[in-house]
Amino acid sequence: MITEENENQEEDENVVLWNTKLENVVKGIGDDSKNYMKMHMQQARRSNIIYNRLTIVGIIIGPLGGIFTVINQISGITPTPILSIAEIIMGFMSGVIVAIIKFGKYDEISNSNQTTAARYTSLYGNVRRQLSLNRKDRIHALKYLDWLQTKYDELILSAPLLSTRTHANFVTKEGERVPKPYDNIININLENTPLPQSQPISQPIPQPI
């Protein structure tokens, strides 16, 4: 008959304690989260700068084209060719800028990258807080590792794509460990794998003469 004491004993036997290898795995996920956070912040900042610049230029060009139109109308009966050409150019540039802002979605890209960076920051802070505790005060190692890997995978799948330029600039400027895109290195723990036992070589039995 299985008692509650036996069940607790079996659970205690199945608990994996914290060790250096598990800590390195958790620390690696935390470092990757920190680096992804920095890259998403860079991409959000770049998208925000582009959006602001295009918006300012569009605000300036729109009224400027209207000014050329008014000047061309009050300058005389015969329209000035230079002002007419400037008016056409200003109208064309204003339409192009509005189209770029609309289809580029720089504001949405900036907001989505900021949200993703905040989630990576939260995950990185959780790893730092967990590893700062004594081993006996932490959450069970395998439970925490399963939770951390699940959250990390969810972030990778839901995060907006990083541009090649952002990745290259981060490698050049930061000089830190950067996750390789679509590249996973799997290490197999062979610590408890039994060594193959050598089979004894059978000696021929001498036959009596």
Side-chain angles (χ1 to χ4, degrees):
M1 181 176 180
I2 300 176
T3 62
E4 184 177 355
E5 184 179 355
N6 293 334
E7 292 180 354
N8 294 333
Q9 184 177 1
E10 290 179 359
E11 290 180 359
D12 293 338
E13 291 177 355
N14 293 329
V15 170
V16 177
L17 301 178
W18 283 95
N19 54 59
T20 304
K21 290 185 177 181
L22 286 176
E23 289 172 346
N24 289 334
V25 172
V26 172
K27 184 177 181 299
I29 295 177
D31 291 339
D32 289 347
S33 300
K34 179 185 68 173
N35 292 328
Y36 273 125
M37 177 266 294
K38 291 182 178 180
M39 285 189 285
H40 281 288
M41 284 302 298
Q42 287 183 5
Q43 187 152 305
R45 192 179 300 112
R46 183 179 297 112
S47 300
N48 189 45
I49 291 173
I50 294 174
Y51 176 75
N52 290 337
R53 288 178 179 177
L54 289 175
T55 303
I56 292 172
V57 173
I59 292 173
I60 294 174
I61 288 180
L64 193 60
I67 291 173
F68 281 122
T69 303
V70 173
I71 294 175
N72 197 20
Q73 290 177 354
I74 66 176
S75 60
I77 299 176
T78 305
T80 305
I82 296 178
L83 294 178
S84 300
I85 294 173
E87 178 186 348
I88 294 172
I89 292 175
M90 291 297 175
F92 174 76
M93 291 180 61
S94 178
V96 170
I97 291 174
V98 170
I100 291 175
I101 293 175
K102 180 178 180 181
F103 293 102
K105 298 181 180 179
Y106 293 104
D107 55 338
E108 295 181 11
I109 293 174
S110 178
N111 293 332
S112 62
N113 277 280
Q114 288 181 16
T115 303
T116 302
R119 295 177 65 187
Y120 275 119
T121 303
S122 176
L123 192 65
Y124 173 64
N126 191 287
V127 170
R128 286 189 59 185
R129 184 166 56 254
Q130 193 65 217
L131 292 182
S132 65
L133 298 173
N134 294 326
R135 288 182 174 178
K136 61 184 180 62
D137 299 327
R138 297 174 187 166
I139 303 174
H140 294 309
L142 288 184
K143 290 182 179 179
Y144 182 74
L145 188 60
D146 290 341
W147 174 86
L148 182 64
Q149 188 65 52
T150 302
K151 291 294 182 182
Y152 182 73
D153 291 341
E154 289 176 356
L155 269 177
I156 292 292
L157 294 175
S158 62
L161 294 177
L162 290 168
S163 64
T164 307
R165 179 182 176 184
T166 300
H167 192 273
N169 288 342
F170 186 81
V171 173
T172 304
K173 294 180 181 180
E174 297 293 335
E176 296 183 5
R177 178 178 178 269
V178 179
K180 297 180 180 180
Y182 312 108
D183 183 20
N184 292 320
I185 299 175
I186 301 175
N187 294 321
I188 301 176
N189 188 354
L190 300 177
E191 183 177 354
N192 297 323
T193 303
L195 296 175
Q197 297 179 357
S198 58
Q199 299 292 334
I201 301 174
S202 57
Q203 298 291 338
I205 300 174
Q207 300 292 333
I209 300 176

